[in-house]
Amino acid sequence: NLYPGAPELCDDTRNDCTLASWTVANEAGTASFVDGFGDLMDITASVTGTAAVPAEFTSTGSGTLNFCEGTFYTRIVAEHNLTIIGKQGSAKTILNGPGGPVISADTVTLTIQGLTLTAGTGHVATTRTEGGAIYAYAATITTDDTILVANTAEVGGAVYARDATLTINNSVWTNNTATDRGAGLYSVDSDTAFDVVNISSNTATNSGGAVNASGSTLTASTWTVQDNTGVGGGGIYLWDTTVNLSDTSFKGNLSTTRGGATYLRGASSFICDSCTFEGNTADIAGAGMYIDESSAELTDAVVTGQLGTSALAVGQDASLDLQRPLISGNATDGVKLYDNASFTCVGTTADTFGSVSNGGYGVHIDYWAEDTAVVSLTLCDLGESTNANTLGALYSRTELIALGNNVTGTY
């Protein structure tokens, strides 16, 4: 591939040896495929379409797809194990793939790195479209330095995963749309791990502005879920799903019903160390979190600036365990409990922990039937004098069983 007048390839090499100077910019707009034997093929023509008629590249064997700087109107159908790389990074290398998922993967292993995926419209299933940017069925996918933006599908505006394993690193998913559920991720019986990921400004017509997951597991570290919108679970909506998070921020998410940031249902389990809930809104209940027949354990959580009727809502047969929380400065009740709810709050003597300086009650115990709420408060401040809640420390409309109390506040 090296001779006078040779066309440039996406191979980090000066192919035209007569060029006086050469940079990677000379390779802009080219693409190559390197097979398992190390042989390189120029595939530029196969991945060069138009916005009206994008190309579609279907793999014929395992290997590495390289895209050099530029915008490629193409879709990738992965029928083999592939590594797909944007050589100059996601800010400069764009796959624009209307008419289907930008990348679809069925029972293969993929690595996707340094790419922006946009304008995808999803895999056409029998009754709906699935996965605007990425469609993953029984696939194992790892992404790094990826941007998923302005994709649309009925479920999984950005990503659809069924029986899949996803590892998402150093990525941004933004301005994706689901005309039904899961504008960022729609996950069924899948495992997803996020590390240094921002999911923001996505919109679902139904549940899960950022994530809708059922029968799945989610883990995350340094995860931001911000300014997403859904009918239930403006940030994330979970059904029978296990979640384990650390250093996660839920900010500015909106639900027009319950669970502005998070909505837990169907025996879901939610554990987070150092979660922040800031400025989320739910029109009915649980601006930060709504828990229904599920459990949540939050350690060192900060819950502030929530709008609606309650910051944290513990619904029927649900439990909330807070270790060293600060629920403060919300325009609502700090914590609201319903039928058969269980609430535990444990602080320390070193600092103030609990539910203080909120616009409603520190803890509000309501009921829909005649079941009992169980509350255990230990070194948990419910406000007095300078940090009092506007309506009072604790209000109960049903029988209260208080265990192990050591509580400050005016009742």
Side-chain angles (χ1 to χ4, degrees), residues 245-269:
L245 312 177
S246 63
D247 298 316
T248 294
S249 172
F250 296 96
K251 183 176 181 179
N253 301 285
L254 168 66
S255 168
T256 55
T257 59
R258 297 173 178 85
T262 56
Y263 192 171
L264 283 58
R265 299 189 69 192
S268 291
S269 171

Side-chain angles (χ1 to χ4, degrees), residues 16-149:
D16 182 357
C17 60
T18 65
L19 291 176
S21 62
W22 181 93
T23 68
V24 291
N26 291 86
E27 297 182 344
T30 65
S32 64
F33 177 73
V34 180
D35 65 18
F37 299 100
D39 295 328
L40 182 144
M41 179 189 306
D42 182 16
I43 61 165
T44 303
S46 299
V47 295
T48 301
T50 65
V53 186
E56 183 169 280
F57 179 88
T58 301
S59 67
T60 57
S62 299
T64 301
L65 279 170
N66 296 303
F67 290 89
C68 284
E69 178 179 348
T71 297
F72 297 85
Y73 292 97
T74 189
R75 299 186 298 270
I76 307 298
V77 179
E79 296 185 350
H80 304 80
N81 298 338
L82 294 175
T83 298
I84 308 172
I85 299 177
K87 302 285 283 184
Q88 280 73 54
S90 59
K92 294 185 176 181
T93 316
I94 301 166
L95 303 187
N96 185 307
V102 182
I103 296 175
S104 60
D106 188 334
T107 326
V108 296
T109 298
L110 294 186
T111 298
I112 304 168
Q113 179 179 335
L115 290 167
T116 291
L117 309 182
T118 189
T121 53
H123 167 76
V124 180
T126 304
T127 59
R128 64 189 186 186
T129 56
E130 301 169 338
I134 297 174
Y135 172 84
Y137 179 80
T140 299
I141 297 179
T142 300
T143 75
D144 192 13
D145 180 28
T146 56
I147 300 172
L148 277 51
V149 58

Side-chain angles (χ1 to χ4, degrees), residues 163-366:
D163 299 323
T165 300
L166 308 180
T167 303
I168 313 299
N169 302 317
N170 304 305
S171 298
V172 175
W173 299 1
T174 187
N175 289 308
N176 300 287
T177 300
T179 56
D180 190 1
R181 291 166 285 171
L185 170 66
Y186 185 83
S187 172
V188 181
D189 299 331
S190 296
D191 301 328
T192 301
F194 294 106
D195 185 33
V196 193
V197 174
N198 184 305
I199 302 182
S200 62
S201 302
N202 303 285
T203 301
T205 301
N206 201 326
S207 55
V211 173
N212 182 300
S214 60
S216 297
T217 64
L218 297 175
T219 61
S221 177
T222 318
W223 189 28
T224 299
V225 180
Q226 182 170 348
D227 296 334
N228 302 284
T229 301
V231 171
I236 63 176
Y237 176 93
L238 309 175
W239 180 275
D240 189 23
T241 289
T242 299
V243 175
N244 200 319
L245 312 177
S246 63
D247 298 316
T248 294
S249 172
F250 296 96
K251 183 176 181 179
N253 301 285
L254 168 66
S255 168
T256 55
T257 59
R258 297 173 178 85
T262 56
Y263 192 171
L264 283 58
R265 299 189 69 192
S268 291
S269 171
F270 184 101
I271 298 173
C272 188
D273 186 359
S274 301
C275 267
T276 299
F277 299 83
E278 181 181 354
N280 302 287
T281 302
D283 289 349
I284 295 179
M289 177 177 287
Y290 189 93
I291 313 168
D292 184 22
E293 297 182 331
S294 299
S295 64
E297 301 176 23
L298 307 180
T299 301
D300 297 321
V302 176
V303 183
T304 186
Q306 313 305 308
L307 302 173
T309 62
S310 53
L312 303 174
V314 190
Q316 185 172 7
D317 298 320
S319 66
L320 174 62
D321 184 336
L322 302 180
Q323 302 292 316
R324 301 183 302 276
L326 179 58
I327 306 166
S328 179
N330 302 286
T332 65
D333 292 331
V335 179
K336 192 167 185 178
L337 311 179
Y338 298 96
D339 291 353
N340 250 9
S342 172
F343 172 54
T344 300
C345 175
V346 178
T348 71
T349 57
D351 294 290
T352 296
F353 296 98
S355 183
V356 299
S357 302
N358 298 295
Y361 296 100
V363 175
H364 182 169
I365 304 170
D366 207 336

Side-chain angles (χ1 to χ4, degrees), residues 372-393:
T372 300
V374 179
V375 178
S376 175
L377 308 171
T378 304
L379 296 173
C380 185
D381 190 0
L382 297 186
E384 55 183 344
S385 64
T386 60
N387 65 353
N389 296 288
T390 300
L391 297 182

